Amino acid sequence: MIPVVYSDYATSILSQLRRSGVDVHEFVSSAGLPTEYEQAEPTFLPLQTVFRLVQLTYDQLGPESGTHLMRVALREHIVPQLLCSVGSETTLKEALKRVIDALKVQLPQSDIELKLFGDHFLFSRYKAVNTEDTTFVWSEVFSLWAMIETIQALTKTDWIPTQIHLQSLCHDNITQCFPATIQFVQARTVSGVVIEHSLAQSTITVTKDETGFREEEEENNGIYYNAISHIYSALRPYVLEIKFDLERAAQVINVSKRTLQRRLKEQGITFRQLRDNLILDMAMEQLQRGETVSRVAVNMGFSSISQFSRAFKRLTGISPSRIALYPL
């Protein structure tokens, strides 16, 4: 299954780009976001799309301004959502474990850990390395700043790690996005930040005002996130059935049609949008593997290449031939 992520990540970045006076129309198209993305805001997007948006942001703004924008997007929109999973008073170590549980829902198929590293702890992320993936470096930069901003929010400090681990090789694209005081260790099995043992064991307090959810939403938030994540994963193998409609989808996940509609509505998505996103994910995955447009059109159940191309461009803003020409 192609990795997916909640649309909040892309929405936050686009919001900050607008604040910086950037015309985001081209960003939406070039990143592979659906053309009606800002109106529909699908619950899930291919993870690669978000990292492509990060890459475009750095290409447009440069390392200093690009990093500032990413940090603001994380601080104002994304990190507060993670803090709602943390109890009012606990240690940083325990708080990060709860944050990781939340991230595993928001970032399906992610491999995020907090583990001992000598006398300290390593807050890490693993992503399979694809040497042809031009966004890999930017996925590391974004993930590392997400870790740093989360720790800063929890500890209410300007903490910066003294050491960062990278899966990729260390070069200017990465080092220019971080303070010069950081030591980089390259070509590791995971990327992550080293946290001092004393800091990991320190007591932290999180108030409701610091989270991204109103009090009445907090109790059900984890339930809704898990529900939509499970729906997405459960329905993907069935989406290409000849009669894949709301009734069939409800049958697959063993709920009533009304319950399924309610759960989708709670996440601001319709069944058609969910189905379209599932088909888009599968088509994008095949195109990025090097399959021809004609083969993908047949695989996705379209009666003609032109019908598939129109549908693909309506959802992404770009033609499938463009993806096929430059596979990741």
Side-chain angles (χ1 to χ4, degrees), residues 82-98:
L82 298 175
L83 297 190
C84 75
S85 63
V86 179
S88 59
E89 186 170 317
T90 184
T91 64
L92 176 62
K93 175 185 172 183
E94 293 304 314
L96 288 176
K97 288 182 178 179
R98 295 173 191 172

Side-chain angles (χ1 to χ4, degrees), residues 279-290:
I279 293 174
L280 171 63
D281 281 357
M282 297 174 74
M284 187 77 75
E285 185 180 45
Q286 293 185 25
L287 289 167
Q288 290 173 344
R289 284 204 311 260

Side-chain angles (χ1 to χ4, degrees), residues 76-311:
E76 293 187 358
H77 300 282
I78 297 170
V79 171
Q81 297 181 25
L82 298 175
L83 297 190
C84 75
S85 63
V86 179
S88 59
E89 186 170 317
T90 184
T91 64
L92 176 62
K93 175 185 172 183
E94 293 304 314
L96 288 176
K97 288 182 178 179
R98 295 173 191 172
V99 165
I100 289 171
D101 287 340
L103 282 170
K104 286 179 178 178
V105 175
Q106 293 195 25
L107 302 170
Q109 304 173 1
S110 60
D111 192 356
I112 305 170
E113 290 185 297
L114 180 68
K115 56 187 177 183
L116 280 171
F117 178 71
D119 295 331
H120 305 297
F121 287 89
L122 181 65
F123 186 14
S124 67
R125 180 210 72 159
Y126 168 78
K127 185 176 187 288
V129 179
N130 180 350
T131 56
E132 298 180 358
D133 183 358
T134 60
T135 68
F136 184 85
V137 166
W138 303 113
S139 76
E140 282 198 295
V141 170
F142 182 82
S143 300
L144 290 166
W145 271 120
M147 295 175 184
I148 295 170
E149 285 291 339
T150 298
I151 294 172
Q152 288 188 353
L154 288 169
T155 60
K156 300 179 178 64
T157 66
D158 294 326
W159 177 84
I160 292 292
T162 56
Q163 188 179 100
I164 280 179
H165 288 202
L166 300 171
Q167 285 185 258
S168 58
L169 298 178
C170 188
H171 50 72
D172 288 347
N173 278 349
I174 295 178
T175 58
Q176 290 179 3
C177 300
F178 294 91
T181 56
I182 296 176
Q183 175 193 19
F184 290 92
V185 183
Q186 63 183 355
R188 306 291 289 187
T189 55
V190 297
S191 57
V193 298
V194 175
I195 306 170
E196 300 84 355
H197 188 274
S198 58
L199 181 64
Q201 300 293 358
S202 63
T203 301
I204 58 98
T205 303
V206 177
T207 64
K208 292 193 188 311
D209 291 341
E210 295 173 287
T211 68
F213 297 91
R214 298 188 299 273
E215 184 173 359
E216 61 269 22
E217 294 174 334
E218 185 174 348
E219 180 180 352
N220 291 325
N221 179 65
I223 297 173
Y224 293 160
Y225 270 8
N226 277 295
I228 196 68
S229 179
H230 292 160
I231 289 171
Y232 190 97
S233 300
L235 294 183
R236 194 174 193 269
Y238 300 88
V239 71
L240 296 181
E241 288 184 350
I242 295 175
K243 188 181 178 183
F244 182 77
D245 54 14
L246 181 65
E247 183 175 359
R248 173 59 173 152
Q251 181 186 46
V252 168
I253 61 175
N254 197 29
V255 298
S256 67
K257 289 194 297 182
R258 192 170 182 177
T259 297
L260 177 54
Q261 284 179 312
R262 187 182 73 249
R263 290 182 183 177
L264 295 176
K265 185 177 181 181
E266 284 163 353
Q267 292 299 319
I269 187 171
T270 65
F271 175 75
R272 178 179 177 180
Q273 290 167 345
L274 176 68
R275 183 189 60 199
D276 287 348
N277 284 339
L278 287 166
I279 293 174
L280 171 63
D281 281 357
M282 297 174 74
M284 187 77 75
E285 185 180 45
Q286 293 185 25
L287 289 167
Q288 290 173 344
R289 284 204 311 260
E291 294 282 1
T292 64
V293 175
S294 59
R295 170 56 60 185
V296 175
V298 171
N299 292 344
M300 294 300 104
F302 287 85
S303 59
S304 66
I305 297 177
S306 59
Q307 184 190 40
F308 168 65
S309 296
R310 286 195 300 271

Side-chain angles (χ1 to χ4, degrees), residues 43-56:
T43 302
F44 287 103
L45 293 169
L47 186 57
Q48 197 69 28
T49 299
V50 176
F51 291 147
R52 193 178 296 117
L53 182 59
V54 173
Q55 180 183 21
L56 291 167

